[in-house]
């Protein structure tokens, strides 16, 4: 059977369930869901009956995991005794006991898998960006015509032996939505760029053009006729037109998760293969606001050999220019060899527009942007307009332009020069094609006809330039050493001038950043209930209209339930809606049907409530205790942690039960304002008015504590934030960290940014760590020589601080800005409302704020056997396996889908037998995606799919007890015949990341071998 058919059957079964999760069934009459907002929760804990059902399956893995099985078997025995005897000991201040009271199974890491993290980074790069930041003074002196640089000089005879070779590269950058929508830009601008491109490139075979954004090309392709399509294919074949990068968009590299970066690359490359038969070779990233090595790695894995970047801190550009390191091999921090090296060109000047790409003097370069000729809509801000080229002025104008080219070439190590010619939405008008190409053609003809000028100049594409560069680089190798240095690290945080750091957009519009992450966890190409590759327990919460309910697993056995109040507002309990929470146990990429029944004699555990700083009248079925004048500390606890809060409901202290230690971990909120200078914070820039100021309430906030069998939580209600800290009263991954949710509403403030600060006694000094795109960790140093806003960095999934004893990690379910401005602290920016534009083209402030829910987890881990001196020197760091798992659970929660109908027994059986995987994957291997791919010809989908796997690097210097997972690490090896349930693997063939290329030795494999940190794509065919 074709794979597409199998997916259809699989999908239909799932649809039968939009069900698949919480099957709502009424015993008597209809147990309809209440109208009104749905309240969500997530909880992890299972029931003895579910665990016992899994014992037979676990025993089949005994040969591979004897130690794990013995741990689990002991846990089950202990749990049986606990259940028989009833709960032991008092329920605890903030807990009604734990749903599972033992299960101390550990993540089992093969000792050989621990070697990577201890060795990684020992292959030193020539240039390490952490060291560059130490070297740069960031003093920003006036550099003359190149304001942010320096005066460039050259000798007239420098090109006597080898002429300067110049490639002028026409391009047009088209944002898929910015000041206008995607469709409006296409209607008003982009379609005309394409139409004119076909006409004007055909006029002269020496003309070249480049395109990047496939989303626009796809839209245009759908409306043009076949002659135009054939013309485009001809231009591509002749090399006049080049597709660069070829992703669906030119993605942001700071806030995007690597899942999304890969997916948009595949989307674009699949479209190109199907419609044009081209494979992009060169990366072109001129507009992301800072650059991530994750993108470099993904391009390398996709088969690219070179790339270009532009928006880098102006002081870094100056430093690289002085050292002639603007062209370099970009290597991953963790690479022990050179397998990740990709040749990268960094543009040296302020912008990618024409005034800043021919040379160091924008006043001169602007005169060679012929769209700005007098009489047009645009002029040159420097006051000297372009002149149309004629026989009378071609000599002087050519000399003037060549002078800029020569000066620019002095910043590089070869005599091959790139001169981009374009800007946003350029070449949309027919006249611009003629103005730019015809004037430059006259300049080229003159220069190439004058041997004494020692220059060869032509139109080119990016790959034309890189081909010539690599040829020159091979010729100029010295002593067998590559001409270009190796650079490791990232290029954040970006500043384009003065103290204007683009750290504001890391957080701007956080509502959509959170929505984006939620969509990513849902947009798997196989719709499954447990979207994760590990068998796992998690608490599921839904709303019902009766508090007397029973939840049955698919086996028919009841599972433990917590019934909690649904609050209409902070102080009012709903009388018609109730939250039912229970522990679900789901196979990897699987689903299960649970029945929710009305019950006359429920075994549900009712949550209790204690409120502080106000009085609530007792009403309904829930017990509410008022503590207006009580002075006792507010505490909640679970099997792993006890947490203390102050009378404002903010965390003060944590006790880790494993070692009995108390830790000062305090949460507070801050405001940042904007500077009173002319330039102020906006959508992109963060320009604060000084240090953050404490959030002050006029009176003690209302605080509500929930105590339940499955979870306990403390919620404080501030004017602009509803802040909640929850502990899951369960064993396993989700019991070992504190879940923090903040519902932020700053719609009534002006020019303020709200921040959550976590303070501790951890002595991290000025060093902290943030992730890049959810893929890797980048060490950071907070530098006093930089302004506050320069020390804010992007965080996609986590940030942490550490000393010799402990690591404190903030895990995030959305991208936001983060900083560690003082030792022991982590700050995370949650929302920003700014009333003015920051003069970066958007033309508006940020005042379309929405009520936004931010979700985090705080994880405190004890470190073992740490050498702090080596720690400080290392350019790499890795999360623990527990941290990796916690992050994955946070970003890929169970997806409950509820039906209010009766299912037939066959449907229930089918849905309960749909785990896609036979068993959990190794602990360190993540299934990034399993997605359909397009047919190469015609419409529809191939019978192959793309299987994308990532082997994570992890730090073994942490305890992995009590995780509740039975997975292990396997040195990156996976047996393919044992991978899928219900499907046999007909073929599995390695591919490049985005499916563009077949490796030279590509063949069907029966075992996957992944190196640490490796992301690999395979073409898989199932039957």
């Amino acid at each position: 059977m074709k794979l597409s058919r199998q997916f259809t059957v699989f999908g239909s079964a799932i649809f039968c369930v939009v069900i698949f999760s919480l099957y709502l069934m009424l015993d008597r009459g209809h147990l309809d869901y209440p109208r009104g907002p749905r309240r969500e929760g997530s909880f992890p804990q299972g029931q003895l009956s579910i665990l016992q059902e899994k014992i037979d399956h676990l025993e089949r893995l005994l040969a591979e995991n004897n130690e794990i099985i013995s741990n689990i078997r002991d846990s089950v025995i202990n749990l049986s005794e606990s259940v028989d005897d009833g709960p032991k000991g008092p329920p605890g201040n903030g807990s009604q006991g734990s749903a599972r009271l033992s299960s101390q199974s550990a993540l089992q890491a093969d000792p050989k898998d621990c070697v990577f993290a201890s060795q990684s980074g020992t292959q030193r790069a020539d240039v390490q960006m952490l060291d560059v930041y130490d070297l740069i003074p960031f003093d920003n002196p006036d550099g003359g015509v190149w304001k942010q640089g320096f005066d460039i000089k050259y000798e007239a005879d420098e090109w006597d032996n080898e002429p300067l070779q110049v490639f002028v590269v026409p391009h047009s950058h088209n944002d898929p939505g910015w000041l206008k929508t995607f469709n409006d830009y296409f209607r008003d601008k982009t379609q005309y760029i394409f139409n004119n491109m076909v006409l004007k490139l055909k006029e002269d075979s020496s003309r070249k053009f480049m395109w990047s954004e496939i989303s626009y090309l796809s839209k245009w392709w759908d409306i043009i006729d076949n002659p135009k399509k054939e013309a485009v294919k001809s231009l591509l074949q002749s090399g006049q037109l080049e597709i660069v990068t070829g992703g669906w968009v030119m993605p942001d590299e700071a806030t995007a998760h690597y899942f999304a970066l890969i997916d948009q690359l595949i989307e674009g490359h699949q479209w190109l293969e199907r419609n044009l038969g081209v494979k992009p070779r060169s990366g072109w990233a001129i507009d992301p606001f800072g650059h991530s090595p994750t993108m470099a790695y993904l391009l390398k894995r996709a088969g690219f050999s070179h790339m270009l970047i532009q928006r880098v801190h102006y002081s870094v550009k100056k430093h690289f220019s002085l050292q002639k390191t603007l062209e370099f091999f970009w290597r991953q921090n963790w690479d022990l060899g050179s397998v990740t090296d990709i040749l990268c060109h960094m543009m040296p000047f302020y912008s990618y527009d024409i005034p800043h790409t021919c040379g160091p003097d924008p006043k001169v370069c602007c005169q060679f942007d012929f769209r700005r000729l007098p009489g047009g809509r645009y002029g040159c801000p420097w006051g000297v307009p372009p002149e149309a080229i004629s026989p009378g002025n071609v000599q002087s104008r050519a000399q003037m332009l060549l002078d800029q080219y020569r000066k620019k070439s002095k910043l590089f190590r070869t005599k091959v020069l790139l001169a981009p010619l374009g800007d946003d939405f350029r070449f949309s008008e027919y006249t611009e094609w003629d103005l730019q190409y015809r004037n430059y053609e006259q300049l080229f003809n003159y220069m190439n006809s004058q041997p004494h000028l020692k220059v060869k100049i032509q139109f080119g594409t990016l790959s034309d330039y890189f081909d010539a560069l690599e040829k020159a680089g091979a010729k100029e190798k010295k002593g067998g050493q590559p001409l270009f240095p190796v650079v490791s690290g990232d290029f954040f945080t970006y500043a384009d001038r003065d103290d204007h750091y683009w750290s504001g957009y890391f957080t701007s519009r956080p509502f959509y950043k959170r929505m984006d992450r939620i969509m990513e966890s849902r947009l798997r190409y196989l719709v499954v209930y447990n979207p994760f590759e590990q068998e796992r327990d998690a608490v599921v919460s839904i709303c019902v209209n009766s508090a007397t309910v029973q939840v049955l697993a698919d086996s028919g056995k009841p599972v433990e339930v917590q019934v909690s109040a649904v609050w209409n507002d902070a102080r009012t309990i709903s009388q018609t809606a109730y939250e039912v929470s229970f522990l679900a146990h789901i196979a990897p990429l699987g689903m299960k049907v649970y029945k929710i029944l009305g019950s006359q004699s429920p075994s549900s555990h009712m949550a209790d409530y204690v409120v502080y700083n106000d009085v609530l009248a007792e009403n309904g079925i829930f017990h509410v205790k008022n503590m207006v004048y009580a002075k006792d500390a507010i505490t909640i606890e679970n099997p792993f942690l006890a947490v203390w809060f102050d009378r404002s409901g903010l965390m003060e202290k944590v006790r880790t039960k494993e070692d009995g230690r108390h830790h000062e971990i305090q949460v507070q909120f801050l405001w940042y304002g904007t500077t009173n200078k002319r330039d102020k914070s906006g959508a992109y820039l963060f320009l604060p008015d000084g240090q953050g100021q404490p959030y002050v309430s006029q009176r003690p906030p209302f605080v509500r504590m929930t105590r339940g069998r499955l979870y306990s939580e403390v919620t404080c209600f501030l004017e602009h934030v509803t802040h909640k800290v929850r502990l899951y009263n369960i064993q396993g991954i989700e019991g070992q960290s504190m879940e923090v949710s903040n519902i932020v509403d700053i719609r009534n403030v002006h020019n303020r940014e709200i921040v959550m600060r976590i303070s501790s006694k951890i002595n991290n000094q000025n060093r902290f760590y943030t992730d890049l795109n959810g893929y890797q960790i980048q060490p950071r140093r907070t530098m006093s020589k930089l302004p506050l806003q320069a020390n804010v960095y992007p965080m996609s999934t986590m940030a942490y601080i550490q000393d010799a004893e402990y690591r404190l990690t903030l895990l995030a379910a959305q991208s936001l800005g983060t900083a560690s401005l003082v030792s022991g602290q982590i700050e995370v920016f949650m929302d920003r409302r700014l009333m003015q534009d920051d003069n970066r083209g958007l033309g508006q402030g940020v005042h379309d704020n929405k009520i936004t829910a931010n979700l985090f987890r705080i994880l405190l881990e004890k470190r073992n056997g740490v050498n702090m001196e080596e720690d400080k020197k290392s350019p790499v760091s890795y999360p623990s396996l527990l941290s990796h798992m916690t992050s994955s659970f946070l970003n890929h929660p169970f997806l409950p889908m509820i039906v209010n109908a009766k299912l037939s027994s066959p449907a229930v059986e089918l849905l309960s037998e749909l785990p896609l995987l036979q068993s959990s994957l190794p602990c360190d291997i993540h299934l990034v995606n399993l997605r359909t791919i397009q047919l190469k010809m015609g419409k529809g989908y191939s019978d192959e799919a793309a299987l994308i796997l990532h082997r994570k690097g992890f730090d073994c210097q942490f305890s992995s007890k009590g995780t509740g997972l039975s997975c292990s690490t396997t040195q990156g090896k996976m047996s393919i015949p044992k991978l899928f349930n219900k499907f046999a693997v007909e073929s599995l063939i390695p591919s490049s990341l985005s499916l563009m290329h077949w490796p030279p030795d590509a063949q069907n494999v029966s075992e996957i071998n992944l190196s640490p940190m490796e992301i690999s794509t395979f073409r898989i065919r199932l039957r």
Side-chain angles (χ1 to χ4, degrees):
M1 184 187 289
K2 298 282 188 186
L3 180 61
S4 55
R5 255 185 233 160
Q6 294 173 322
F7 280 143
T8 303
V9 172
F10 188 72
S12 301
I14 293 173
F15 180 73
C16 257
V17 207
V18 177
I19 326 171
F20 85 77
S21 134
L22 318 171
Y23 169 62
L24 216 301
M25 229 172 135
L26 293 131
D27 219 11
R28 316 167 284 135
H30 292 6
L31 191 62
D32 292 324
Y33 296 118
R35 298 181 184 273
R38 173 178 166 176
R39 312 297 158 85
E40 294 186 317
S42 287
F43 322 94
Q45 196 41 59
Q47 169 94 4
L48 173 62
S49 61
I50 297 175
L51 184 59
Q52 289 172 327
E53 288 168 22
K54 296 296 177 183
I55 287 295
D56 289 341
H57 170 62
L58 290 172
E59 286 183 322
R60 289 196 295 273
L61 300 175
L62 185 60
E64 299 173 18
N65 289 309
N66 285 326
E67 183 177 351
I68 301 171
I69 292 298
S70 63
N71 287 341
I72 294 178
R73 189 177 295 283
D74 292 343
S75 298
V76 173
I77 292 170
N78 293 337
L79 184 54
S80 298
E81 295 171 353
S82 299
V83 172
D84 290 342
D85 298 339
K88 303 289 194 296
N93 195 346
S95 168
Q96 295 185 353
S98 169
R100 287 190 184 177
L101 302 177
S102 53
S103 184
Q104 293 294 324
S105 58
L107 295 169
Q108 299 297 310
D110 188 306
K112 294 176 183 176
D113 288 326
C114 296
V115 174
F116 173 75
S118 63
Q119 290 181 340
S120 196
T122 56
Q123 182 78 15
R124 295 291 294 175
D126 300 312
V127 179
Q128 170 54 246
M129 287 308 300
L130 281 170
D131 298 333
V132 169
Y133 264 64
D134 278 338
L135 292 171
I136 297 174
F138 295 99
D139 49 356
N140 194 21
D142 189 330
V145 294
W146 178 17
K147 290 290 183 187
Q148 298 167 331
F150 49 87
D151 190 30
I152 304 174
K153 299 185 183 301
Y154 62 85
E155 299 297 329
D157 61 358
E158 289 188 38
W159 293 273
D160 284 358
N161 296 328
E162 183 181 355
L164 182 63
Q165 189 176 4
V166 182
F167 290 89
V168 176
V169 178
H171 68 96
S172 181
H173 175 59
N174 284 234
D175 298 284
W178 185 43
L179 304 180
K180 298 182 181 181
T181 65
F182 173 80
N183 286 331
D184 285 348
Y185 272 133
F186 179 80
R187 182 195 65 216
D188 298 342
K189 297 278 189 179
T190 311
Q191 65 172 324
Y192 300 112
I193 299 173
F194 290 134
N195 291 335
N196 292 328
M197 173 190 76
V198 172
L199 294 172
K200 305 312 286 186
L201 292 185
K202 285 166 63 178
E203 291 180 0
D204 190 331
S205 61
S206 69
R207 294 179 177 180
K208 302 287 185 89
F209 194 65
M210 283 190 337
W211 190 262
S212 176
E213 298 86 3
I214 303 306
S215 51
Y216 278 123
L217 184 56
S218 168
K219 186 172 180 65
W220 179 66
W221 196 259
D222 289 342
I223 64 172
I224 61 174
D225 55 24
N226 284 329
K228 266 186 184 168
K229 290 180 179 179
E230 292 305 315
V232 171
K233 292 177 182 178
S234 176
L235 292 170
L236 287 164
Q237 191 171 8
S238 69
Q240 283 186 261
L241 173 62
E242 182 183 12
I243 304 296
V244 285
T245 307
W248 201 244
V249 296
M250 185 181 291
D252 172 53
E253 298 181 23
T255 64
H257 194 275
Y258 76 94
F259 169 87
L261 294 174
I262 293 171
D263 213 48
Q264 66 87 29
L265 264 185
I266 291 177
E267 202 67 32
H269 291 173
Q270 285 276 289
W271 189 91
L272 289 169
E273 181 180 34
R274 178 178 178 180
N275 293 282
L276 296 174
V278 299
K279 302 178 189 294
R281 300 169 50 207
S282 301
W284 172 257
I286 57 173
D287 207 24
F289 314 137
H291 294 279
S292 170
T294 302
M295 195 66 197
Y297 175 73
L298 299 181
L299 291 177
K300 176 74 173 185
R301 297 295 294 168
F304 288 69
S305 53
H306 21 71
M307 61 183 294
L308 174 146
I309 60 177
Q310 151 59 21
R311 288 190 184 264
V312 173
H313 193 299
Y314 62 88
S315 292
V316 173
K317 287 191 172 196
K318 178 181 177 179
H319 178 83
F320 274 51
S321 297
L322 285 166
Q323 303 298 320
K324 292 193 176 183
T325 53
L326 288 165
E327 288 172 331
F328 53 88
F329 287 104
W330 200 349
R331 179 179 297 169
Q332 300 300 304
N333 272 332
W334 45 265
D335 188 355
L336 295 175
S338 57
V339 296
T340 62
D341 289 8
I342 182 170
L343 183 60
C344 181
H345 173 101
M346 181 192 295
M347 294 171 66
F349 306 126
Y350 173 78
S351 174
Y352 54 82
D353 62 8
I354 297 172
H356 295 94
T357 49
C358 89
D361 190 345
K363 180 178 180 179
V364 174
C365 291
C366 191
Q367 297 175 53
F368 294 90
D369 180 357
F370 295 102
R371 188 191 182 191
R372 302 178 191 250
L373 283 165
R377 283 180 290 169
Y378 304 96
C380 282
W382 296 268
V384 183
E387 296 178 18
I389 304 303
S390 65
N393 69 3
V394 68
Q395 178 179 353
S396 62
R397 305 306 284 182
Q399 288 280 9
M400 182 185 294
L401 182 58
L402 180 57
D403 175 63
Q404 290 297 304
Y405 289 155
R406 285 175 171 174
K407 286 177 177 175
K408 183 178 180 180
S409 76
K410 291 292 291 179
L411 307 179
F412 298 90
R413 298 189 180 191
T414 74
K415 292 181 170 62
V416 181
L417 184 68
L418 176 70
L421 184 75
D423 202 347
D424 293 355
F425 297 95
R426 282 301 190 92
F427 296 98
S428 62
E429 297 169 2
Y430 188 87
T431 54
E432 182 174 3
W433 289 84
D434 288 335
L435 290 172
Q436 303 287 21
Y437 281 92
R438 289 179 181 175
N439 281 288
Y440 270 96
E441 283 160 1
Q442 292 181 69
L443 291 164
F444 294 175
N445 291 337
Y446 176 80
M447 290 185 198
N448 290 330
S449 68
Q450 303 296 314
H452 70 280
L453 294 179
K454 305 296 183 183
V455 64
K456 294 179 181 178
I457 187 167
Q458 64 188 74
F459 290 119
T461 63
L462 188 59
S463 290
D464 290 338
Y465 168 74
F466 274 120
D467 289 344
L469 179 69
E470 288 181 332
K471 187 176 178 181
K475 191 192 310 182
E476 296 186 27
K477 266 188 181 180
K478 296 174 182 176
Q481 293 297 312
L483 180 65
F484 306 112
V486 173
V487 174
S488 289
D490 72 334
F491 296 101
F492 294 112
T493 292
Y494 169 59
D496 56 355
R497 61 177 184 259
D498 303 323
D499 60 352
H500 295 187
Y501 285 82
W502 294 51
S503 47
Y505 90 98
F506 300 157
T507 304
S508 293
R509 294 182 171 137
F511 175 88
Y512 296 103
K513 288 178 166 68
R514 176 73 183 123
M515 185 177 75
D516 176 68
R517 191 64 56 82
I518 292 171
M519 293 297 290
E520 283 174 9
S521 73
R522 303 295 190 259
L523 286 178
R524 298 301 179 98
Y525 286 78
L526 293 175
V527 182
V528 290
Y529 178 44
N530 173 7
F532 194 49
E533 64 273 0
Q534 299 292 335
E535 185 174 23
R536 64 192 264 210
D537 295 335
V539 175
V540 173
S541 296
I542 62 166
C543 283
V544 296
N545 69 353
S546 170
T548 55
V549 295
Q550 187 178 38
V551 179
L552 304 181
D554 54 357
S555 64
K557 294 183 179 180
V559 298
E560 191 171 47
V561 168
Q562 173 176 321
V563 177
S564 308
V566 170
W567 296 81
N568 293 333
D569 54 42
R571 294 168 171 80
T572 309
I573 297 176
S574 171
Q575 301 301 308
T576 59
Y578 305 88
E579 181 193 73
V580 172
S581 304
F582 62 93
L583 190 70
H585 181 92
I586 311 294
L589 296 185
M591 54 190 172
K592 184 179 287 188
V593 176
Y594 288 87
K595 297 179 183 178
I596 300 181
L597 308 172
S599 174
Q600 294 292 341
S601 54
S603 57
S604 308
H605 293 274
M606 306 294 291
D608 291 333
Y609 296 90
V610 182
V611 299
Y612 300 83
N613 306 327
D614 205 347
V615 176
L616 295 190
E618 185 95 14
N619 63 63
I621 62 173
F622 295 100
H623 178 252
V624 181
K625 183 178 181 181
N626 295 294
M627 300 285 284
V628 180
Y629 304 111
K631 295 182 179 179
D632 294 340
I634 304 172
T635 64
I636 57 175
E637 61 182 298
N638 72 2
F640 298 95
L641 301 165
V643 185
W644 281 258
F645 301 82
D646 65 18
R647 288 300 302 269
S648 294
L650 298 178
M651 189 189 303
E652 283 189 314
K653 182 173 63 174
V654 174
R655 179 167 63 89
T656 47
K657 293 188 176 181
E658 182 181 10
D659 58 8
R661 293 275 298 271
H662 286 78
H663 309 268
E664 287 186 30
I665 299 179
Q666 300 170 335
V667 171
Q668 67 181 121
F669 295 95
L670 311 171
W671 290 113
Y672 281 98
T674 188
T675 178
N676 57 13
K677 297 178 183 176
R678 184 175 63 89
D679 295 306
K680 301 185 187 308
S681 297
Y684 300 118
L685 303 184
F686 175 40
L687 294 168
D689 58 356
Q691 299 293 323
Q693 299 302 309
Y695 184 104
V696 178
S697 296
Q698 297 300 316
R699 56 181 182 176
F702 177 64
V703 178
R704 186 177 72 216
M705 180 171 71
T706 304
R707 297 188 297 187
R709 180 73 171 178
L710 290 177
Y711 72 82
S712 299
E713 65 187 20
V714 172
T715 308
C716 80
F717 296 86
L718 302 168
E719 181 183 354
H720 300 95
V721 184
T722 299
H723 170 68
K724 178 165 60 182
V725 176
R726 174 179 291 187
L727 290 182
Y728 290 105
N729 301 325
I730 62 175
Q731 299 287 347
I733 296 286
E734 296 187 270
Q736 298 187 58
S737 57
M738 297 159 273
E739 183 179 275
V740 177
S741 66
N742 295 321
I743 299 175
V744 180
D745 184 3
I746 59 169
R747 292 176 296 172
N748 66 347
V749 306
H750 291 76
N751 279 333
R752 297 179 104 183
E753 311 190 26
I754 192 164
V755 167
M756 179 174 70
R757 175 188 287 168
I758 302 166
S759 302
S760 71
K761 295 295 186 182
I762 288 177
N763 184 26
N764 63 301
Q765 297 175 1
N766 71 334
R767 195 173 179 89
F768 71 113
Y769 303 82
T770 66
D771 76 301
L772 288 169
N773 315 103
Y775 171 66
Q776 60 185 313
I777 298 297
Q778 175 64 49
R780 307 290 186 192
R781 291 183 192 137
T782 299
M783 296 189 172
S784 58
K785 66 183 176 182
L786 293 174
L788 185 154
Q789 60 267 30
N791 289 301
V792 178
Y793 291 94
M795 172 186 67
S796 295
T797 60
M798 69 176 73
Y800 56 81
I801 55 176
Q802 62 188 22
D803 57 19
E805 288 192 274
Y806 288 93
R807 174 183 289 179
L808 179 66
T809 305
L810 178 69
L811 300 123
Q814 59 283 310
S815 293
L816 296 167
T818 189
S820 178
L821 302 175
V822 175
S823 183
Q825 294 182 353
I826 299 175
E827 291 187 6
V828 58
F829 290 72
M830 297 188 303
D831 203 356
R832 49 205 314 263
R833 184 171 172 83
L834 302 157
M835 310 317 293
Q836 62 281 315
D837 181 43
D838 52 13
N839 299 309
R840 291 307 184 273
L842 188 63
Q844 57 184 272
V846 182
H847 33 77
D848 55 352
N849 303 73
K850 293 176 167 49
I851 299 174
T852 300
N854 290 322
L855 187 63
F856 308 94
R857 281 185 176 270
I858 297 174
L859 177 64
L860 182 66
E861 298 175 281
K862 184 173 177 58
R863 305 182 76 197
N864 302 310
V866 176
N867 183 323
M868 280 306 292
E869 289 308 309
E870 289 184 8
D871 220 28
K872 291 176 183 176
K873 295 175 187 175
S874 177
V876 293
S877 186
Y878 299 92
S880 65
L881 272 176
L882 174 60
S883 185
H884 274 308
M885 288 293 184
T886 305
S887 179
S888 294
F889 283 19
L890 181 62
N891 283 284
H892 302 292
F894 277 2
L895 172 60
M897 293 191 285
I898 306 166
V899 291
N900 190 19
K902 186 170 183 177
L903 288 178
S904 65
S905 294
V908 171
E909 286 180 23
L910 176 64
L911 293 166
S912 299
E913 295 176 0
L914 275 178
L916 186 59
L917 302 180
Q918 281 197 17
S919 61
S920 297
L921 298 189
C923 298
D924 57 342
I925 293 181
H926 173 49
L927 196 158
V928 179
N929 211 342
L930 177 61
R931 57 163 288 167
T932 54
I933 56 179
Q934 296 177 345
L935 286 169
K936 290 186 179 179
M937 302 292 292
K939 295 184 177 180
Y941 294 95
S942 167
D943 59 354
E944 293 181 317
L947 173 67
I948 308 176
L949 299 172
H950 172 207
R951 184 181 174 197
K952 299 183 177 183
F954 61 91
D955 190 335
C956 292
Q957 296 176 319
F958 298 90
S959 169
S960 59
K961 291 181 180 179
T963 57
L965 289 178
S966 57
C967 63
S968 61
T969 65
T970 58
Q971 297 179 56
K973 297 176 182 176
M974 286 174 52
S975 174
I976 300 310
K978 298 178 181 178
L979 186 59
F980 290 100
N981 189 32
K982 305 290 185 183
F983 294 101
V985 178
E986 189 173 291
S987 66
L988 186 86
I989 302 174
S991 169
S992 64
L993 181 68
S994 61
L995 305 164
M996 281 201 306
H997 302 286
W998 299 81
D1001 56 348
Q1003 57 182 343
N1004 192 18
V1005 296
S1006 60
E1007 184 179 78
I1008 290 174
N1009 287 278
L1010 299 177
S1011 300
M1013 297 301 293
E1014 180 180 339
I1015 301 176
S1016 283
T1017 298
F1018 301 85
R1019 290 178 178 269
I1020 188 169
R1021 182 180 282 114
L1022 304 177
R1023 57 179 169 81

